[in-house]
Amino acid sequence: MAGRPRGKSAGRRRADGGDAPGGRARARAFGLRTRLVFAFLLVAAVSAGTTSALTYREARNALLKTAQDTAVSSFRDQVQQTGWGLPVQEQGLELVLRDIARKGKPHPWVVFAEYGSLRASSGENPVSTVITPELRRAAHANPNGSFERVVKDGVPYLTIAMPTVFRAGPGSMLPSGLILYAVMRMTDEQVNVDALLVAARDGALPGLVIALIPGLIAARSVLRPVRELRKAAQSMGSGRLDTRIPVRGSDELADLARTFNESAGKLETSVRELREAEARARRFASDVSHELRTPLAGMLAVTEVLDEDADRLDPDTARAVRLVSTETGKLAVLVEDLMEISRFDARAAELNTDEVDVAEAIRKTLEIRHWTDGRIRTELPPGIRARLDPRRFDVVVANLVGNALRHGGAPVTVRLRVEARSPGTPVLITEVVDSGPGIRPEVLPHIFDRFYKADAARTRSAGSGLGLAITQENVRLHGGTIRAGNLPAGGAVFTVEIPLHLEEADG
């Protein structure tokens, strides 16, 4: 059947998530419109076929029954009207049989007679090859006669068996032993039956062609609301939440349109409220962060002075001073992280790229934070250069290594390599692997969520809870991806992939 999708390839997806062009064409060729038309034609074909078959059967049975009843009745009358002398003599028997055969209706007969071992016919052969043993047995068992339709060598015949009887008294008949058989060709009836079959077939085919027109009209009327629904869904998916569908009529499709409009209205209201709440939250975080920066700068300066004099204070006061200094530093980090997240949410973050030696940039990040002891291992091949934002790449490496040291376990390994992807640009890959127990499966889907705590019982931690979220945003800003996983032998691994050549890398 033309346009039919082959196997499972009709629903095949490309690796990038889009439809394969060939699969989309096959799916479109056997879409809802085609299926509706096919269903309509199938119903029409079944109806036309059933009607034609029933009409053909009834006409055929009526045609054959008329010829059959005429022949049986005529043969019975001829046998009963013929006077038979017993015992039957062979001399003159053929003349009687020919006389009966000449009076055959509705077509000429060939008449055969069987009387003991005596065999005679109105034709050339005294014995018929068409008469079956079943008919002979039925003739001996039924004094009123029997008939049978037989097809021999592709030719249909009607065979009639009529035993002769004589009356032994009122209501009593005895068989004489003489049985007459009439064999009549039914070629004319077969021609008529074949003509009926051709007429039924030729009448059904134009009916199917004519049924295609209302099928197309019905499919069009059914699919119009579906197409409108698809366009409306696409419009809403592109952000136009005020999209609505015109409602026509009061059928099921009209109910679907009303339900869609009601759902779209509720969704528009909910999204508007969520956007307003999100905007308020972003403004709040940004405003609070900006307002806190100035007093925090003063507090940090004061705590630095107090830290220098802590050794000259009494132990309790010194412990309190160091606690204030530590918590003030955490608060400063949280404020800076909140401001960074606010810039990402406001789409105000920009890349200031430069061509850097990536291995040297990673070493500088580790040296600045004094991560040069045995806790850190590096596999940094020289000569790898890329256009990156040095400050943002520093944040990515620092957050991943610091997270591995805090929540994983030493030693932490930092690897760097370049992979050539085909097709596509080469990819710069940075991996940070720790030696801890790894990340629990239920935590992995949320590892980059803001303020997510892997341990719900831990309400305080050394970080702000935004480090990995900021890392992900910085990687995305470079056009790259980051993913987290576990090694088979244990330990968590974070993999950052950044294209080496970006058209908009210059920010």
Side-chain angles (χ1 to χ4, degrees), residues 187-364:
T187 52
D188 292 346
E189 284 74 15
Q190 184 63 43
V191 170
N192 293 334
V193 168
D194 292 342
L196 286 175
L197 180 61
V198 172
R201 182 194 63 195
D202 294 344
L205 292 179
L208 289 179
V209 176
I210 295 174
L212 180 62
I213 298 175
L216 292 173
I217 296 175
R220 179 181 177 84
S221 63
V222 170
L223 289 180
R224 184 187 299 112
V226 177
R227 286 195 295 268
E228 292 176 351
L229 180 61
R230 176 178 60 83
K231 292 179 181 178
Q234 290 177 342
S235 177
M236 291 189 65
S238 62
R240 294 188 290 272
L241 299 181
D242 58 344
T243 303
R244 298 295 184 269
I245 302 175
V247 179
R248 302 183 182 91
S250 59
D251 55 6
E252 290 81 358
L253 292 174
D255 293 338
L256 177 61
R258 293 189 189 94
T259 302
F260 178 87
N261 291 340
E262 293 173 0
S263 302
K266 294 178 181 178
L267 179 62
E268 183 182 11
T269 302
S270 300
V271 170
R272 183 173 61 251
E273 293 175 353
L274 287 174
R275 287 174 176 172
E276 293 173 354
E278 183 181 4
R280 288 194 299 269
R282 284 200 301 266
R283 284 196 303 270
F284 174 78
S286 179
D287 294 345
V288 169
S289 300
H290 279 88
E291 293 298 327
L292 287 176
R293 289 190 77 180
T294 301
L296 272 175
M299 293 173 64
L300 287 172
V302 172
T303 54
E304 288 179 1
V305 174
L306 292 176
D307 279 341
E308 294 175 356
D309 297 334
D311 293 336
R312 294 192 295 271
L313 301 175
D314 61 89
D316 291 339
T317 304
R319 190 161 45 251
V321 167
R322 292 190 179 96
L323 179 61
V324 170
S325 179
T326 300
E327 296 301 323
T328 303
K330 291 181 181 179
L331 182 58
V333 171
L334 176 59
V335 170
E336 290 297 329
D337 288 347
L338 284 173
M339 292 188 66
E340 186 73 1
I341 284 292
S342 299
R343 282 191 286 269
F344 283 120
D345 289 341
R347 305 186 189 281
E350 296 180 352
L351 281 178
N352 297 306
T353 62
D354 192 8
E355 185 174 339
V356 298
D357 185 315
V358 183
E360 185 63 28
I362 294 176
R363 291 192 190 95
K364 186 180 297 183

Side-chain angles (χ1 to χ4, degrees), residues 45 59 151:
V151 177

Side-chain angles (χ1 to χ4, degrees), residues 168-182:
S172 176
M173 293 184 297
L174 296 176
S176 65
L178 174 63
I179 301 177
L180 299 181
Y181 297 92

